């Protein structure tokens, strides 16, 4: 047998899985549904070790032995023999959202479960194993233990704000059918100390290991299930005069109709399109971590192939194979299914930005535009006009060739109109300064304004033919526009505008470039050919030769390696399941039948040609149906009650890890890309603001031409996102006879599949530190004296004594002060969950009506509008003249 021992990060609670190895083809997993303490799990493993020895006191081959240490289970898979278990053995922290860590898988291990004695060997098993392992899990697969990566931040925080009454009713129902009979024990006796926790069902479309976990989903506790996403994750730190703002970019690639460039085009019969990626940019103030007290904002946009039945025949070996429409779809059935999914997830309006060519000598890309216009026009007939799909065609290639037009200026106009229509998500109400100093653009902003902030309603869907180069630049411009609104909503800039060549936009551009390169490698087989700098027409002359190399690389990948990659993806996602007596994966002439279910069986229910949306979706628009509080959505949530001080919900312990020895050099937040260190000019002494426009040569890391020094490691860099890699963590025990379960693996044994990391010379690192440490003259423009004068020291000493005496005030004096009328003017409300934190919310002072009238009169007088004088004013003036002059 295999025993799988899993623990929480603090290693105070444990669960144990027992995997039977005597079954040659079936998976038998037993979860004992009990939570062990560290002492109990030591005793259990000790007894198992003793009971499995052949003779008393004998050590060696018998008893328990550690097989592998891991960070989580990817899933279980079976080909033609028995089951394999796939484990994560290396991980690297890539981002942090509100104290919840997001990790990238660095290495995995596949272990065959059945014993050799019962193994029934098959000649084709090794080939299937090789195809399965062709999906490199160490490149761009991400997971989080406590944050749902398959959903947007808006969804996750909306779910947290569900009414408490709803949660209480849900808890009583769930307790009856709880998986673990001991889970809620003792909670009812604690009175009001209970805290409700919500676990949402992941959005299956963006989960890549759903099929691998299918075999055990109902058999084990939900804490064992770790859902992984594929795409991109990068985080950078924007320092605004020392205030840390984290800019995070998360891209989720759809697992439906997934594949490579020429082999997956258009849509399948269920409305899932090829190369569909949801990109979310999250901005938050990192000085306050918790979701309840912190300031968080996000904006979501989507890319995806044109939702029609179309393909390109690559057998001709042409760089641009002709586009063919495979099936006539007069009632836009596929487009209807696709946009119905989008209305459910994002609400309305859905805005399509179509960047394909409109004018061509030979009709090529235009075929798609004409069909898409017809489909959108047909579908809009039946939607209410206020929720109609908005279609924006724009031939980006034509504008790029024109010397008169600036591509990015035109894109900026489109971006402004799009963000105004959809709005964005922010979890706090509009700040008081935006009411005092209203901005025209801010007042025209769309979306949904609620008491707790703003919600994004609707989404921008961008596409070209490949959804790679042109799409990434368009998405960057929309993201840049949304970033300005996000910074404004958090009170960090005075107008919702961002200029090019500022540190903030350079940092954001690098994030988007890494994001575009990564997605392009996954779908097209090469990095981006045209970048933001190409469209700004400021790319260096060496960029042209690099573009040619990327084009050749993409062509080679599409012609020779894409078919193998497609087979691997089909096997990994469970689209193809090997079985005895059926053709093997490599014997199939095409995978068309695997992805289009309607070719194998007729659907019993036919969708209406006119009412093409799901029932209930239209009623809640513009809000997305998935975020509305209704019985159907409540069924997707699992509610559990916790003790108030339980470790599982203690973000402070989870983030700071007081039980671990930490090294500052290895801390994630120090290693990530930093606007001050990496982008701000080193000699700047006047304006360290990240919103000041710099000259191209006046930057810490020039985004124009200084990338050649990282060309050697560009592939590793793209797969590891934008943060410089901190050391990968080795795994903690998951199956062990050792009591503590914290032994590290041998540092030398690095797997061949782990991502290589380039180590810089010590000479380079000393240069970097020399640049970072600057004199006070360089930074502030003045030289600070070495020792303060005696007078200054005396003033400081008095200030310190005042502070000390303030803290020594007894409660009696505090009660006396409470009678003071100042309390009515300034009211401090603590908003932190931790009593040690001195973070307060200040209510603006309330002035009486007479004071407001005097103030308004004063303002009007300043503008030259004098108030008419009353009787009292005349009497007062007479009295003044009499006393002054008579």
């Amino acid at each position: 047998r295999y025993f799988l021992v899993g623990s929480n990060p603090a290693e105070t609670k444990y669960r144990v899985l027992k995997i039977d190895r005597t079954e040659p083809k079936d998976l038998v997993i037993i979860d004992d549904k009990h939570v062990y303490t560290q002492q109990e799990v030591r005793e259990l493993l000790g007894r198992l070790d003793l009971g499995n020895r052949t003779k008393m006191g004998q050590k060696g081959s018998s008893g328990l032995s550690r097989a592998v240490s891991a960070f989580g289970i990817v899933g279980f898979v079976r080909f033609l023999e028995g089951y394999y278990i796939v484990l994560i053995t290396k991980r690297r922290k890539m981002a942090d959202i509100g104290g919840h860590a997001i990790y990238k898988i660095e290495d995995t291990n596949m272990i065959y479960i059945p014993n050799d004695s019962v193994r029934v060997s098959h000649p084709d098993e090794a080939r299937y194993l090789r195809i399965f392992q062709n999906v490199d899990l160490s490149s761009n697969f991400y997971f989080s233990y406590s944050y749902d990566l398959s959903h947007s931040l808006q969804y996750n925080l909306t779910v947290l704000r569900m009414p408490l009454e709803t949660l209480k009713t849900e808890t009583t129902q769930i307790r009856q059918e709880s998986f673990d009979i001991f889970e809620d024990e003792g909670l009812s006796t604690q009175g009001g100390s209970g805290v409700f926790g919500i676990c949402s069902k992941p959005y299956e479309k963006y989960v890549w290991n759903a099929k691998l976990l299918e075999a055990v989903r109902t058999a084990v506790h939900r804490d064992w299930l770790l859902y992984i996403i594929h795409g991109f994750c990068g985080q950078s730190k924007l320092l605004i005069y020392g205030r840390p703002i984290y800019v995070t970019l998360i891209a989720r690639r759809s697992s439906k109709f997934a594949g490579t460039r020429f082999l997956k085009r258009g849509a399948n019969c269920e409305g899932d399109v090829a190369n569909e990626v949801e990109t979310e940019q999250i901005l938050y103030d990192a000085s306050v971590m918790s979701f309840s007290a912190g300031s968080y904002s996000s904006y979501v946009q989507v890319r995806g192939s044109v939702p029609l039945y179309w393909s390109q025949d690559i057998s001709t070996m042409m760089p641009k194979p002709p586009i063919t429409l495979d099936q006539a779809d007069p009632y836009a059935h596929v487009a209807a299914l696709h946009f119905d999914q989008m209305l459910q997830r994002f609400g309305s309006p859905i805005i399509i930005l179509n960047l394909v060519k409109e004018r061509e000598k030979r009709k090529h890309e235009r075929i798609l535009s004409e069909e898409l216009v017809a489909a959108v026009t047909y579908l809009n007939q039946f939607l209410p006009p206020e929720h109609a799909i908005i279609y924006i065609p724009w031939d980006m290639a034509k504008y790029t060739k024109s010397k008169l037009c600036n591509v990015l200026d035109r894109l900026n106009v489109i971006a402004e109109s799009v963000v105004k229509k959809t709005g964005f998500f922010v979890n706090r109400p509009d700040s008081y300064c935006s009411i005092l100093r209203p901005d025209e653009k801010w007042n025209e902003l769309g979306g949904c304004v609620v008491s707790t902030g703003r919600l994004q309603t609707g989404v921008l869907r961008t596409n070209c033919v490949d959804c790679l180069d042109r799409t990434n630049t368009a998405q960057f411009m929309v993201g840049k526009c949304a970033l300005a609104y996000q910074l404004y909503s958090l009170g960090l800039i005075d107008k919702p505008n961002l200029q090019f060549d500022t540190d903030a936009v350079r940092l954001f551009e690098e994030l988007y470039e890494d994001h575009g390169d990564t997605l392009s490698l996954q779908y097209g087989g090469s990095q981006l050919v045209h970048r933001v700098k190409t469209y700004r027409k400021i790319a260096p002359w060496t960029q042209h030769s690099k573009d040619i190399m990327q084009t050749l690389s993409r062509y080679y990948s599409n012609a020779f390696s894409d078919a193998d990659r497609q087979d691997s993806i089909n096997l990994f996602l469970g689209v193809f399941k090997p079985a005895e007596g059926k053709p093997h994966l490599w014997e199939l002439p095409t995978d068309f039948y695997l992805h289009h279910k309607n070719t194998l069986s007729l659907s019993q229910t036919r969708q209406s040609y006119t009412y093409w949306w799901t029932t209930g979706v239209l009623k809640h628009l513009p809000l997305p149906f998935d975020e509305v509080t209704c019985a159907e959505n409540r069924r997707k949530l699992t509610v559990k009650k916790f003790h108030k001080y339980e470790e599982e919900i203690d973000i402070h312990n989870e983030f700071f890890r007081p039980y671990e020895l930490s090294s500052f050099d290895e801390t994630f937040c120090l290693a990530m890309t930093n606007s001050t260190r990496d982008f701000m000019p080193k000699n700047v002494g006047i304006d360290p603001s990240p919103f000041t426009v710099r000259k191209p040569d006046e930057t810490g890391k020039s985004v124009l031409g200084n990338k050649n020094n990282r060309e050697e490691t560009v592939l590793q860099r793209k797969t590891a996102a934008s943060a410089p890699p901190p050391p990968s963590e080795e795994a903690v025990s998951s199956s062990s006879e050792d009591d503590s379960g914290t032994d590290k693996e041998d540092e030398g044994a690095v797997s061949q599949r782990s991502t290589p990391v380039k180590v810089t010379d010590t000479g380079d690192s000393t240069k970097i530190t020399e640049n970072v440490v600057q004199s006070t003259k360089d930074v502030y423009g003045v030289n600070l004296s070495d020792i303060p004068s005696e007078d200054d020291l005396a003033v400081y000493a008095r200030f310190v004594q005042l502070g000390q005496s303030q803290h020594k005030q007894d409660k009696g004096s505090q009660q006396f002060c409470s009678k003071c009328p100042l309390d009515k003017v300034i009211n401090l409300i603590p908003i932190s969950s931790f009593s040690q934190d001195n973070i307060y919310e200040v209510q603006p002072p309330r002035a009486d009506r007479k004071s407001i009238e005097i103030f308004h009169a004063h303002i009007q007088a300043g503008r030259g509008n004098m108030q008419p004088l009353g009787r009292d004013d005349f009497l007062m003036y007479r009295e003044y003249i009499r006393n002054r002059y008579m």
Side-chain angles (χ1 to χ4, degrees):
R1 289 195 184 98
Y2 277 131
F3 290 94
L4 213 60
V5 181
S7 78
N8 62 347
E11 291 175 15
T12 54
K13 290 183 178 180
Y14 292 81
R15 287 187 183 272
V16 179
L17 282 185
K18 188 166 69 176
I19 304 174
D20 190 4
R21 299 184 65 198
T22 57
E23 290 289 337
K25 290 197 174 181
D26 292 330
L27 183 64
V28 180
I29 290 189
I30 300 158
D31 187 344
D32 63 4
K33 303 182 182 180
H34 185 64
V35 180
Y36 296 89
T37 62
Q38 195 176 69
Q39 185 62 35
E40 286 170 348
V41 91
R42 282 181 189 179
E43 290 170 5
L44 175 72
L45 293 172
R47 285 199 301 272
L48 287 169
D49 183 38
L50 204 62
N52 282 293
R53 288 181 189 161
T54 47
K55 292 178 185 174
M56 285 296 286
Q58 179 186 340
K59 287 193 176 181
S61 58
S62 56
L64 273 188
S65 62
R66 178 182 297 198
V68 70
S69 298
F71 285 114
I73 305 168
V74 174
F76 298 83
V77 64
R78 178 179 173 269
F79 308 122
L80 295 166
E81 295 179 12
Y83 273 91
Y84 295 83
I85 181 172
V86 188
L87 297 167
I88 301 165
T89 53
K90 265 190 190 177
R91 68 180 185 187
R92 183 193 309 154
K93 189 172 176 180
M94 294 309 296
D96 191 277
I97 299 174
H100 300 272
I102 296 170
Y103 297 98
K104 173 179 176 286
I105 298 175
E106 286 282 283
D107 198 13
T108 54
N109 195 353
M110 275 185 84
I111 297 171
Y112 188 65
I113 292 173
N115 265 321
D116 290 342
S117 57
V118 296
R119 184 168 188 166
V120 182
S121 57
H122 194 284
D124 293 314
E125 180 76 7
R127 187 166 179 183
Y128 274 118
L129 183 63
R130 196 164 59 248
I131 292 170
F132 183 86
Q133 289 178 329
N134 207 16
V135 172
D136 187 5
L137 278 166
S138 66
S139 70
N140 315 116
F141 284 89
Y142 304 91
F143 68 93
S144 175
Y145 298 113
S146 52
Y147 182 80
D148 186 354
L149 280 172
S150 67
H151 282 292
S152 65
L153 182 77
Q154 176 171 315
Y155 177 89
N156 289 335
L157 294 191
T158 306
V159 161
L160 281 177
R161 289 215 164 96
M162 274 182 70
L164 192 63
E165 293 71 32
T166 316
L167 298 185
K168 282 178 179 172
T169 55
E170 290 291 312
T171 320
T172 49
Q173 289 169 16
I174 285 166
R175 193 176 295 179
Q176 307 305 319
E177 48 201 58
S178 176
F179 182 91
D180 191 337
I181 51 174
F182 304 109
E183 265 188 345
D184 298 321
E185 193 178 341
L187 284 174
S188 54
T189 59
Q190 295 296 318
S193 66
V195 176
F196 288 99
I198 304 176
C199 177
S200 57
K201 194 178 172 186
Y203 194 64
E204 294 268 326
K205 189 177 196 173
Y206 298 115
V207 175
W208 276 63
N209 62 337
K211 291 285 183 189
L212 300 178
L213 291 171
E214 211 170 44
V216 296
R217 191 170 290 174
T218 52
V220 301
H221 190 272
R222 63 175 178 271
D223 288 352
W224 288 104
L225 305 174
L226 193 65
Y227 296 101
I228 62 171
I229 65 161
H230 184 38
F232 173 82
C233 179
Q235 190 170 54
S236 296
K237 187 194 294 181
L238 183 66
L239 275 174
I240 305 172
Y241 295 106
R243 187 176 177 183
I245 305 298
Y246 284 3
V247 183
T248 315
L249 210 59
I250 298 174
R252 308 173 185 91
R253 183 174 285 284
S254 169
S255 61
K256 311 287 184 190
F257 203 50
T260 53
R261 187 182 176 204
F262 285 126
L263 299 175
K264 285 289 159 281
R265 292 297 211 193
N268 67 3
C269 62
E270 292 173 353
D272 302 305
V273 297
N275 194 21
E276 185 173 5
V277 182
E278 183 184 296
T279 300
E280 180 179 24
Q281 60 189 59
I282 298 171
L283 194 81
Y284 76 96
D285 186 344
S287 52
V288 182
M289 271 194 318
S290 80
F291 278 141
S292 52
S295 302
Y296 292 81
S297 175
S298 77
Y299 183 76
V300 178
Q301 46 186 326
V302 176
R303 66 171 72 184
S305 193
V306 180
L308 307 164
Y309 286 122
W310 66 279
S311 62
Q312 283 177 284
D313 183 16
I314 51 168
S315 60
T316 55
M317 293 296 282
M318 292 166 64
K320 282 189 179 180
I323 290 172
T324 53
L325 292 168
D326 301 330
Q327 292 180 37
D329 193 5
Y331 299 107
H333 176 71
V334 175
L337 288 167
H338 177 66
F339 292 123
D340 181 33
Q341 283 181 19
M342 294 187 78
L343 284 172
Q344 282 190 60
R345 185 161 169 85
F346 303 110
S348 71
I350 291 167
I351 305 167
I352 302 167
L353 177 57
N354 185 16
L355 303 172
V356 304
K357 292 175 184 173
E358 299 288 336
R359 292 184 182 177
E360 297 170 302
K361 291 175 185 174
R362 183 173 57 88
K363 208 171 175 184
H364 180 63
E365 295 184 10
R366 194 154 47 109
I367 298 169
L368 299 176
S369 279
E370 288 169 359
E371 282 294 315
L372 183 59
V373 169
V376 171
T377 310
Y378 173 79
L379 296 175
N380 273 341
Q381 294 176 88
F382 312 108
L383 277 176
E386 66 271 20
H387 302 309
I389 299 165
I390 300 166
Y391 178 75
I392 306 171
W394 189 59
D395 188 343
M396 191 166 168
K398 185 186 83 174
Y399 273 82
T400 309
K401 288 169 187 170
S402 165
K403 291 183 180 177
L404 302 171
C405 303
N406 187 326
V407 177
L408 297 189
D409 282 353
R410 177 77 183 113
L411 269 176
N412 198 48
V413 173
I414 294 170
E416 284 284 354
S417 68
V418 164
V419 177
K420 274 179 187 171
K421 286 187 180 82
T422 61
F424 62 96
F425 169 73
V426 62
N427 75 331
R428 50 176 266 182
D430 292 353
S431 52
Y432 193 58
C433 63
S434 66
I435 300 164
L436 290 175
R437 294 194 303 271
D439 187 88
E440 284 179 22
K441 282 166 66 177
W442 180 255
N443 293 335
E444 293 168 9
L445 199 61
C448 184
V449 182
V450 289
S451 59
T452 53
R454 287 175 175 270
L455 299 177
Q456 179 181 343
T457 57
V459 73
L460 172 70
R461 184 197 190 281
T462 314
N463 72 269
C464 46
V465 176
D466 296 320
C467 305
L468 297 177
D469 303 2
R470 286 173 276 181
T471 300
N472 199 66
T473 303
Q475 283 197 330
F476 163 73
M477 287 305 292
V478 176
K480 172 179 162 286
C481 176
L483 182 72
Y485 280 102
Q486 289 175 290
L487 288 163
Y488 181 80
S489 71
L490 300 186
L492 301 168
I493 51 177
D494 60 347
K495 285 194 186 310
N497 282 326
L498 281 178
Q499 299 292 322
F500 271 109
D501 296 320
T502 56
D503 297 343
V505 172
R506 279 175 171 158
L507 174 138
F508 190 62
E509 186 183 327
E510 186 169 276
L511 257 183
Y512 247 97
E513 212 163 272
D514 286 351
H515 157 268
D517 279 339
T518 306
L519 297 180
S520 185
L521 274 166
Q522 290 162 12
Y523 182 66
S526 79
Q527 291 165 27
L528 290 174
V529 176
H530 302 300
R531 300 166 183 276
V532 177
K533 292 182 289 297
T534 314
Y535 291 106
R536 282 185 78 191
K537 297 179 182 173
I538 58 164
W541 61 273
T542 51
Q543 188 66 43
H544 188 60
S545 58
K546 287 177 193 168
D547 289 352
I548 293 167
M549 288 306 295
Q550 294 300 343
T551 308
L552 290 172
S553 166
R554 193 176 284 186
Y555 177 68
Y556 174 83
S557 175
N558 299 155
F560 301 108
S561 62
D562 275 8
D564 293 338
R565 282 173 59 211
Q566 185 65 57
D567 285 348
S568 304
I569 291 167
N570 289 344
L571 189 62
F572 184 87
L573 291 173
V575 177
F576 176 86
K577 289 180 181 172
E580 289 284 356
K582 284 189 178 179
H584 293 303
L585 181 59
W586 51 89
E587 291 172 356
L588 296 178
T590 175
D591 65 352
F592 182 86
Y593 306 103
L594 302 175
H595 289 275
H596 294 76
K597 304 279 171 59
N598 62 354
T599 55
L600 299 174
S601 61
L602 282 171
S603 173
Q604 297 300 314
T605 55
R606 289 189 70 177
Q607 195 181 15
S608 167
Y609 290 140
T610 53
Y611 297 103
W612 52 266
W613 51 85
T614 306
T615 317
V617 168
L618 218 59
K619 187 170 68 177
H620 299 287
L621 289 179
L623 289 173
F625 181 71
D626 286 357
E627 291 170 22
V628 175
T629 308
C630 64
E632 192 178 328
N633 287 337
R634 279 205 296 270
R635 281 196 288 272
K636 297 174 187 173
L637 304 175
T638 310
V639 185
K640 187 185 167 189
K641 200 174 182 186
F642 293 93
H643 290 301
K644 206 172 188 177
Y645 303 109
E646 202 159 336
E647 288 165 331
E648 209 171 329
I649 55 169
D650 188 350
I651 281 286
H652 182 271
N653 271 11
E654 175 71 27
F655 183 76
F656 289 106
R657 305 282 180 100
Y659 41 82
E660 282 183 11
L661 180 66
S662 304
S663 164
F664 277 135
D665 294 338
E666 295 173 10
T667 309
F668 168 71
C669 58
L670 290 180
M672 75 163 84
T673 305
N674 184 316
S675 65
T676 307
R677 183 182 63 216
D678 298 329
F679 294 93
M680 196 174 84
K682 300 302 174 214
N683 55 355
V684 68
I686 304 147
D687 193 357
S689 165
F691 307 115
T692 305
V693 179
R694 318 272 188 208
K695 293 174 189 170
D697 55 342
E698 190 189 62
T699 175
K701 177 169 67 177
S702 175
V703 240
L704 298 184
N706 263 2
K707 284 198 176 177
N708 52 358
N709 57 342
R710 6 175 242 167
E711 280 303 312
E712 300 163 34
T713 54
V714 79
L715 274 175
Q716 293 92 313
R717 173 67 189 276
K718 298 310 169 197
T719 51
S722 74
S728 297
E729 304 174 43
E730 292 292 343
V732 182
S733 164
S734 80
S735 127
S736 151
E737 62 161 335
D738 200 349
D739 26 29
S740 71
T742 55
D743 291 352
K744 303 287 181 191
E745 282 193 338
D746 183 16
E747 292 289 329
V750 179
S751 163
Q752 293 176 346
R753 290 176 60 197
S754 63
T755 310
V757 175
K758 188 186 173 192
V759 181
T760 53
D761 298 336
T762 49
D764 294 345
S765 60
T766 50
K767 283 177 195 168
I768 291 164
T769 48
E770 279 171 15
N771 286 343
V772 172
V773 181
Q774 303 157 39
S775 68
T776 51
K777 176 74 175 171
D778 287 344
V779 178
Y780 300 104
V782 290
N783 267 327
L784 299 178
S785 55
D786 295 337
I787 301 164
S789 66
E790 287 184 15
D791 292 347
D792 292 341
L793 281 172
V795 171
Y796 181 66
R798 280 170 60 202
F799 172 71
V800 170
Q801 282 168 357
L802 277 170
Q804 286 172 344
S805 60
Q806 175 71 25
H807 284 297
K808 286 175 186 170
Q809 274 190 331
D810 60 352
K811 287 181 182 176
S813 64
Q814 284 177 7
Q815 285 167 8
F816 173 75
C817 281
S818 66
K819 295 170 189 173
C820 175
L822 266 176
D823 246 23
K824 294 175 185 172
V825 179
I826 299 169
N827 189 15
L828 296 178
I829 304 162
I831 57 169
S832 172
S833 305
F834 305 107
S835 54
Q836 294 85 0
D837 286 359
N838 50 352
I839 304 170
Y840 298 99
E841 184 179 10
V842 184
Q843 297 290 342
R846 290 182 182 174
D848 58 14
R849 190 176 168 186
K850 191 175 179 185
S851 303
I852 291 169
E853 284 171 2
I854 291 168
F855 179 71
H856 278 301
H858 173 70
I859 296 293
Q860 293 300 323
R863 292 174 177 166
N865 304 328
M866 300 303 293
Q867 296 277 348
L869 296 174
R871 186 166 173 271
D872 292 344
D873 298 319
F874 277 117
L875 289 171
M876 194 185 294
Y877 184 63
R878 274 183 195 163
E879 192 66 32
Y880 168 73
I881 295 294
R882 188 183 295 123
N883 292 339
R884 183 83 176 81
Y885 298 107
M886 293 181 182

